[in-house]
Amino acid sequence: MTSTFHGLETSKRSLLVNTASMQTMGHNISNANTEGYTRQRVNISASRPIWQMGMTKSQAPGQLGTGVQYDSITRVRDSYLDLQYRRENQTLGSYDVLNTTMTAIQNIVNEPSDTGLSSVMDDFWNSWETLNRDPSLLSARVAVVGTAQNFTDTLKHISESLTNVTTDTNANIDKKIIEANDLINNIAQLNTIIRNNESFSDHANDYRDQRDLLIDKLSSIVDVQVVEDTEGMVSITSAGVNVVNGADTTALTAANAQTATAGQLNGYVRSLQETDTIRNQLNGMIQTLVTGQVQVTLDNGYVTPADMTALNDVTLEGGATILAGTTIPAGSRITSPMTVEVDGFNGLHELGYTLSDPATAGIPFFVSPGGGPFTIDNIAVNPEIANNTDKIAASSKYETVGGVNKTIRGNSDVAIALVGLRDAVFQFPANLTSLSQGTTDDFFRALTADLGLRAQNIERNFENETNLTTALQMQRQSVSGVSMDEELSDMIRFQQAYNASARVMTSVDEMLDKVINSMGIVGR
């Protein structure tokens, strides 16, 4: 025979299960705005039925239900979405940093604009054209020195700004390494907590949420490959290093940023490469302009300041002919055009004569104060020229008066040749830009165009990754996020189920009251 109190037990189980559901629902609502929280659900099932008991084993078909039980409380989460989100999030982290750096570099180069390097270069060339009209005019010589100094100052400002970007980037790498290692240690600690909790067959839902959130944040900094073992502990490999192995950790170092395949660390490393690229391109342009090999032709009357070698046959004053490739003695006056190969702007300037008496051969117009090759941070106007504009070598001729060689003040052959370098074709170092041969203006345009295209591609990838990551996050929220509408409708469901179970218990109580207090009282 079935127990008299069977109905009470059945109702009690229902009350307990609905109470647990209500408590879980309250936990969900409480954490609706908690970062990384995953909504939880009570998994319930019918409790094991029993035979319909009688005086002997019942022969009636069917079993008697014993109510409801909850099996577990689990998170509503899609691990595949986690995998996708972290994969895109680490790519987004890289492009986010890179996009910021490229914007900074574009602002430094500041092209096209009225104050950028191209404008300063135009002023420099224009000042030489002015000097060309009257090489003895003091204001024209002062303008040449002034625009040249503006040119070198602009280059140094660009160099300093690029150096600041590099310094800030390296500092950010160190900060991100510290942040990543902090996340790694916390993940390992949560690994231990989760293993301890789940070793008793519990579900460490909230701890898993915390760990997943930390892994999400780590994926923004560096690439992550996550593997979970049977004990619920995760192993994480980042930048080629097994940073988390259960409860053990291996700290990342700044050197590991070089092997990061994604994340902000990867973005910072690529930013350093971009900064080096633009610096190398500008260095290549300056080095080529100042010392790059270029051919120039000097007109009749030119007097060689040193032994020279022409690329063509040259006739000297007096009728002698010097064959191409043969040395022309210093002090020779040519009577036919002479084509020579010079070392860029400096080399050509050294072929001219200063304004001072006696006529003196030109000195290098630009110098590298620190020694070594010319770079954007190691170029300056020769101090001798800056302090004495007469040392600008604009003339190619001098005349001998009273035994003294005097520069012909109205001659500007070298100044004309120097202005011609603006349109001269140089050979630029390979692999710096898509242009290996052209004028300096062509090279600078190729440089800025190349920078613009790279920045545009990076910005487009950044926007695409932002949209993709946002979409994946929304998908995760649609699965794991707390919906207040859904939770409140569940609350009504659980509340009514609880009320109905209480009513059943009350009915059973009334039945028992009838049996206990109202039966068997005949004759009382």
Side-chain angles (χ1 to χ4, degrees):
M1 178 179 289
T2 305
S3 169
T4 305
F5 301 106
H6 179 79
L8 288 176
E9 181 63 23
T10 302
S11 300
K12 184 191 75 176
R13 291 181 176 181
S14 176
L15 292 175
L16 292 175
V17 168
N18 283 294
T19 298
S21 297
M22 286 287 283
Q23 291 169 339
T24 302
M25 179 211 65
H27 185 55
N28 286 341
I29 292 176
S30 299
N31 289 283
N33 296 319
T34 301
E35 184 182 12
Y37 179 77
T38 303
R39 68 189 175 104
Q40 299 175 11
R41 281 289 175 266
V42 178
N43 301 310
I44 62 176
S45 64
S47 58
R48 190 175 67 177
I50 61 174
W51 289 102
Q52 178 65 26
M53 302 299 292
M55 296 300 292
T56 59
K57 182 179 178 180
S58 172
Q59 298 299 313
Q63 296 177 320
L64 182 61
T66 59
V68 67
Q69 63 182 17
Y70 70 81
D71 302 319
S72 60
I73 300 177
T74 57
R75 302 187 303 164
V76 183
R77 198 171 181 105
D78 188 335
S79 59
Y80 181 62
L81 287 177
D82 287 341
L83 177 66
Q84 287 184 306
Y85 174 79
R86 288 166 188 161
R87 185 172 58 207
E88 301 304 331
N89 192 43
Q90 61 194 26
T91 305
L92 174 62
S94 177
Y95 278 116
D96 187 12
V97 170
L98 202 51
N99 185 52
T100 302
T101 302
M102 294 303 288
T103 301
I105 292 175
Q106 284 186 303
N107 291 335
I108 292 170
V109 176
N110 194 25
E111 293 293 341
S113 73
D114 296 331
T115 57
L117 182 59
S118 62
S119 176
V120 174
M121 290 174 66
D122 286 342
D123 291 342
F124 174 65
W125 292 119
N126 292 339
S127 69
W128 277 98
E129 289 194 359
T130 302
L131 180 68
N132 167 41
R133 299 189 193 105
D134 185 356
S136 62
L137 191 63
L138 176 61
S139 60
R141 289 178 171 267
V142 171
V144 166
V145 172
T147 56
Q149 288 178 328
N150 285 341
F151 178 47
T152 57
D153 288 345
T154 301
L155 292 173
K156 287 179 181 176
H157 176 69
I158 291 175
S159 175
E160 290 170 357
S161 299
L162 291 176
T163 300
N164 289 336
V165 171
T166 301
T167 302
D168 293 344
T169 302
N170 283 321
N172 283 334
I173 288 176
D174 293 337
K175 290 178 183 177
K176 288 300 173 182
I177 289 293
I178 294 173
E179 187 178 341
N181 286 333
D182 186 49
L183 293 171
I184 288 168
N185 290 329
N186 289 332
I187 291 171
Q189 292 174 7
L190 284 168
N191 264 349
T192 303
I193 295 173
I194 291 170
R195 181 189 61 185
N196 293 341
N197 278 267
E198 297 190 349
S199 63
F200 299 103
S201 300
D202 288 337
H203 288 165
N205 296 327
D206 294 327
Y207 291 121
R208 281 180 172 270
D209 282 348
Q210 294 174 24
R211 188 177 65 182
D212 284 336
L213 179 60
L214 296 181
I215 296 174
D216 287 348
K217 290 182 177 179
L218 183 63
S219 72
S220 178
I221 298 175
V222 64
D223 56 286
V224 295
Q225 292 82 45
V226 183
V227 178
E228 183 173 340
D229 62 20
T230 55
E231 294 183 327
M233 305 177 79
V234 296
S235 295
I236 300 177
T237 301
S238 297
V241 179
N242 187 202
V243 292
V244 177
N245 185 17
D248 300 325
T249 62
T250 301
L252 290 173
T253 64
N256 296 129
Q258 299 293 331
T259 55
T261 59
Q264 293 169 339
L265 290 179
N266 174 262
Y268 285 124
V269 171
R270 295 174 66 185
S271 294
L272 290 175
Q273 294 169 350
E274 289 291 347
T275 307
D276 287 343
T277 297
I278 191 70
R279 182 186 290 278
N280 291 336
Q281 289 174 332
L282 289 170
N283 286 345
M285 183 183 75
I286 295 304
Q287 177 72 15
T288 302
L289 173 63
V290 178
T291 63
Q293 294 283 306
V294 63
Q295 294 181 5
V296 296
T297 299
L298 300 166
D299 289 335
N300 300 349
Y302 176 67
V303 180
T304 57
D307 291 348
M308 299 178 63
T309 302
L311 300 176
N312 60 318
D313 296 344
V314 178
T315 302
L316 305 183
E317 189 177 43
T321 299
I322 305 296
L323 299 178
T326 307
T327 301
I328 303 174
S332 301
R333 188 181 299 274
I334 63 173
T335 58
S336 64
M338 178 178 73
T339 301
V340 295
E341 193 169 65
V342 298
D343 295 333
F345 196 95
N346 269 359
L348 181 53
H349 187 263
E350 291 178 48
L351 298 185
Y353 291 96
T354 65
L355 202 58
S356 56
D357 292 329
T360 305
I363 58 177
F365 190 86
F366 293 107
V367 294
S368 53
F374 287 94
T375 60
I376 57 176
D377 60 346
N378 190 30
I379 181 172
V381 177
N382 193 324
E384 293 186 41
I385 295 176
N387 295 329
N388 183 4
T389 58
D390 284 352
K391 293 197 173 183
I392 297 176
S395 175
S396 70
K397 303 171 184 173
Y398 63 76
E399 56 186 356
T400 304
V401 179
V404 178
N405 296 332
K406 294 188 176 181
T407 302
I408 299 178
R409 303 176 71 85
N411 180 264
S412 60
D413 289 349
V414 173
I416 293 173
L418 287 168
V419 172
L421 291 184
R422 183 175 191 174
D423 300 319
V425 176
F426 289 91
Q427 298 291 329
F428 293 97
N431 303 323
L432 287 182
T433 68
S434 56
L435 183 71
S436 59
Q437 177 178 301
T439 66
T440 52
D441 286 346
D442 290 339
F443 185 83
F444 188 66
R445 280 192 290 269
L447 179 156
T448 53
D450 184 43
L451 173 64
L453 283 175
R454 294 203 309 275
Q456 189 177 34
N457 288 335
I458 290 168
E459 182 179 9
R460 182 173 56 252
N461 289 331
F462 168 69
E463 291 176 353
N464 290 340
E465 286 299 329
T466 299
N467 294 334
L468 187 54
T469 306
T470 302
L472 286 169
Q473 178 65 355
M474 291 180 67
Q475 287 185 43
R476 286 211 311 181
Q477 283 298 309
S478 69
V479 174
S480 304
V482 176
S483 166
M484 298 302 288
D485 292 340
E486 184 178 352
E487 298 299 331
L488 291 176
S489 63
D490 283 347
M491 181 180 70
I492 296 172
R493 207 157 50 88
F494 299 142
Q495 182 183 20
Q496 294 298 341
Y498 185 92
N499 291 343
S501 299
R503 181 66 61 85
V504 171
M505 180 173 282
T506 302
S507 298
V508 172
D509 178 52
E510 290 177 354
M511 290 168 58
L512 293 175
D513 179 65
K514 177 63 72 179
V515 171
I516 295 170
N517 297 320
S518 301
M519 295 179 66
I521 60 174
V522 176
R524 180 179 294 179

